[in-house]
Amino acid sequence: MPDLDLAATTPACAENGVWLACIDCGHELAPFDTPVYRCPECEGLLEARYESYPTFEGFAGRGVWRYAAALPFEQGVSLPEGDTPLHRVPRLESEMGVRSLRIKHEGMNPTGSFKDRGMTVGVRVAEELGVSRLACASTGNTSAALAAYGGRAGLETLVLLPDGKVAAGKVAQAALHGARILEVDGNFDSCLDIVSDLADRGEAYLLNSLNPFRLEGQKTIGFEILEAFRDEYDRFPDRIVLPVGNAGNTAALYKAFRELVASGALAEEEVPKLTGVQAEGAAPMVEAVEEGWDDTERWDSVETRATAIRIGNPVNAPKAIPGIRETDGTTISVSDTEITDAQRALAEEGIGVEPASAASVAGLRKLRMSGVVGSDEDVVCLTTGHLLKDPDAAAAAGSEPESVPNDTEAVLDHLDG
Ligand SMILES: *Cc1c(COP(=O)(O)O)cnc(C)c1O
Ligand SMILES: [Zn+2]
């Protein structure tokens, strides 16, 4: 596992013991001087580096900011986020035939997705930089989170959405939290191209997961899962299965593990296998991992009912692919029908998720059938967003309402009939 170069001395550009480093050429930059999203030398992705790395003993408090020892600041604009449930699902667990199955339901964050974890940190950094306008491209959930956290911080927010391809609940959130919404006649990847251009021209501070500080907040999903397992079972899960869109979460979880390994809190052989699931109609990461590439090739045309992962050009692939490989994980694609089946199975155990979220469970089901996932494994599936985000998908997957007359006897007849 590539280490975080703990032996390196803190560079002069560090502030608060934090700096940015290019994952390709190692170039180091000051973190809070001026907005920067890619390496000025080679265009590579940037990641946050710290003077010291976290141990479990260093965590205190609640939510995302419990993990301040692994974040660039002590506290940020908070609604509050994190502390999401790690559900037991006895029926699904026995159907899957694994040692244990838990569902980390990120849909229970304040705006209904894990994006809130990234936003609380990203908006704190925006305040440090002194920017006035925040922007993102979004398949929906990032825009909802940005609008809420930006609004809370009193900053202007601008979101670019693929016209007609965003679930109703998400647009409603962005609208009511006060974002200016631009609907682009293109897909998510085109929206990201445009908003990146705007950011490069200094028109707005970019809060997509290309922003390395978003991923710092999202690392806390990994810390929460590992801490919960450590407390409850005195061991760590063998595998974490998650839906993949831009691959930000995959990259963030991998970084959480590397940091714990760097501090000695986690042994290399204890690192969970990162297992990424994509929709068949939008699976460039699956292709790249299967072909042994270090980056994805852009899919120009993508389609899936799981709109949150309808992405053809995952920007964080160069960070996420090593995470899949080095942890001995894998990737798999699933059909929309398999996604809907998994969404229903989760809902039957009381866990309401949007379609993209159910991809994790659909992927696990396939990997168990093929024997890639063993019966002796402790598995955690991440469900990334709440059922109410996409009410149309939920209604389509669920039972049909039946009309009855306005009369008790007639209702009884109907129930008997
Ligand atoms: C953003 C999002 C994803 C994709 O996450 P990445 O970090 O971009 O891979 C998956 N599911 C939901 C519900 C999301 O909002
Ligand atoms: Zn570089």
Side-chain angles (χ1 to χ4, degrees), residues 9 27 32 62 99 110 145 149 152 160 176 178 210 226 240 256 271 283 291 362 367:
T9 45
H27 181 70
F32 315 123
R62 290 186 68 79
R99 184 182 186 193
Y149 283 81
R152 181 85 178 184
L160 279 78
L176 189 59
L210 179 61
L226 295 193
I240 297 181
V271 171
E291 299 291 334
L367 291 168

Side-chain angles (χ1 to χ4, degrees), residues 22 24-25 27 39 41-42 44:
C22 170
D24 289 332
C25 77
H27 181 70
C39 174
E41 302 291 324
C42 78

Side-chain angles (χ1 to χ4, degrees), residues 130-208:
V131 300
S132 54
R133 185 200 272 162
L134 312 177
C136 71
S138 179
T139 58
N141 283 331
T142 303
S143 70
L146 180 77
Y149 283 81
R152 181 85 178 184
L155 297 168
E156 199 186 316
T157 54
L158 176 67
V159 305
L160 279 78
L161 307 178
D163 194 9
K165 294 294 181 183
V166 178
K170 308 176 187 183
V171 186
Q173 287 179 292
L176 189 59
H177 286 303
R180 189 158 174 198
I181 302 171
L182 306 182
E183 292 188 323
V184 177
D185 176 21
N187 58 24
F188 167 83
D189 304 293
S190 337
C191 294
L192 186 57
D193 290 343
I194 295 172
V195 82
S196 300
D197 285 341
L198 294 178
D200 288 341
R201 293 177 198 196
E203 293 292 331
Y205 183 55
L206 182 71
L207 276 168
N208 280 97

Side-chain angles (χ1 to χ4, degrees), residues 337 339-349 351 353 358 396-399:
T337 307
I339 287 174
T340 303
D341 288 346
Q343 189 187 18
R344 236 182 251 121
L346 282 162
E348 281 164 6
E349 292 210 67
I351 302 170
V353 308
S399 55

Side-chain angles (χ1 to χ4, degrees), residues 97-397:
V98 288
R99 184 182 186 193
S100 73
L101 174 62
R102 304 292 289 265
I103 306 291
K104 180 69 170 165
H105 192 10
E106 286 296 301
M108 298 307 285
N109 276 294
T111 77
S113 84
F114 71 83
K115 301 298 194 307
D116 296 342
R117 294 182 188 260
M119 233 30 108
T120 186
V121 176
V123 170
R124 174 66 186 87
V125 172
E127 291 176 325
E128 192 73 11
L129 288 161
V131 300
S132 54
R133 185 200 272 162
L134 312 177
C136 71
S138 179
T139 58
N141 283 331
T142 303
S143 70
L146 180 77
Y149 283 81
R152 181 85 178 184
L155 297 168
E156 199 186 316
T157 54
L158 176 67
V159 305
L160 279 78
L161 307 178
D163 194 9
K165 294 294 181 183
V166 178
K170 308 176 187 183
V171 186
Q173 287 179 292
L176 189 59
H177 286 303
R180 189 158 174 198
I181 302 171
L182 306 182
E183 292 188 323
V184 177
D185 176 21
N187 58 24
F188 167 83
D189 304 293
S190 337
C191 294
L192 186 57
D193 290 343
I194 295 172
V195 82
S196 300
D197 285 341
L198 294 178
D200 288 341
R201 293 177 198 196
E203 293 292 331
Y205 183 55
L206 182 71
L207 276 168
N208 280 97
S209 58
L210 179 61
N211 185 317
F213 294 110
R214 272 266 315 271
L215 302 189
E216 292 305 290
Q218 290 171 212
K219 285 188 311 198
T220 60
I221 301 172
F223 295 142
E224 275 182 24
I225 293 172
L226 295 193
E227 267 201 304
F229 261 73
R230 186 171 175 265
D231 291 350
E232 196 175 325
Y233 301 108
D234 208 23
R235 59 175 192 261
F236 298 107
D238 297 297
R239 186 181 298 272
I240 297 181
V241 187
L242 74 164
V244 175
N246 264 313
N249 255 346
T250 317
L253 287 167
Y254 183 45
K255 189 158 190 281
F257 303 155
R258 282 157 69 216
E259 292 187 359
L260 292 170
V261 169
S263 74
L266 186 70
E268 276 206 27
E269 59 277 11
E270 291 174 317
V271 171
K273 297 175 169 66
L274 281 172
T275 302
V277 187
Q278 294 196 299
E280 278 171 1
M285 271 279 290
V286 177
E287 177 185 52
V289 169
E290 282 175 2
E291 299 291 334
W293 301 337
D294 294 328
D295 198 354
T296 48
E297 261 182 31
R298 184 176 181 134
W299 287 25
D300 283 320
S301 140
V302 282
E303 201 47 83
T304 168
R305 186 181 301 158
T307 50
I309 52 172
R310 188 176 173 274
I311 291 172
N313 188 30
V315 288
N316 287 299
K319 288 179 172 175
I321 292 171
I324 304 271
R325 251 183 226 142
E326 300 286 332
T327 63
D328 203 20
T330 189
T331 48
I332 190 162
S333 64
V334 292
S335 70
D336 280 4
T337 307
E338 289 165 335
I339 287 174
T340 303
D341 288 346
Q343 189 187 18
R344 236 182 251 121
L346 282 162
E348 281 164 6
E349 292 210 67
I351 302 170
V353 308
E354 66 167 288
S357 305
S360 58
V361 170
L364 174 63
R365 193 176 256 160
K366 270 181 115 161
L367 291 168
R368 261 306 282 147
M369 285 199 299
S370 65
V372 173
V373 173
S375 59
D376 55 347
E377 291 192 29
D378 291 310
V379 182
V380 176
C381 284
L382 217 64
T383 54
T384 39
H386 197 277
L387 177 154
L388 292 174
K389 290 284 194 171
D390 193 341
D392 299 328

Side-chain angles (χ1 to χ4, degrees), residues 401-415:
E402 300 159 47
S403 27
V404 291
N406 179 7
D407 174 74
T408 305
E409 290 305 320
V411 169
L412 280 170
D413 284 347
H414 179 88
L415 289 174

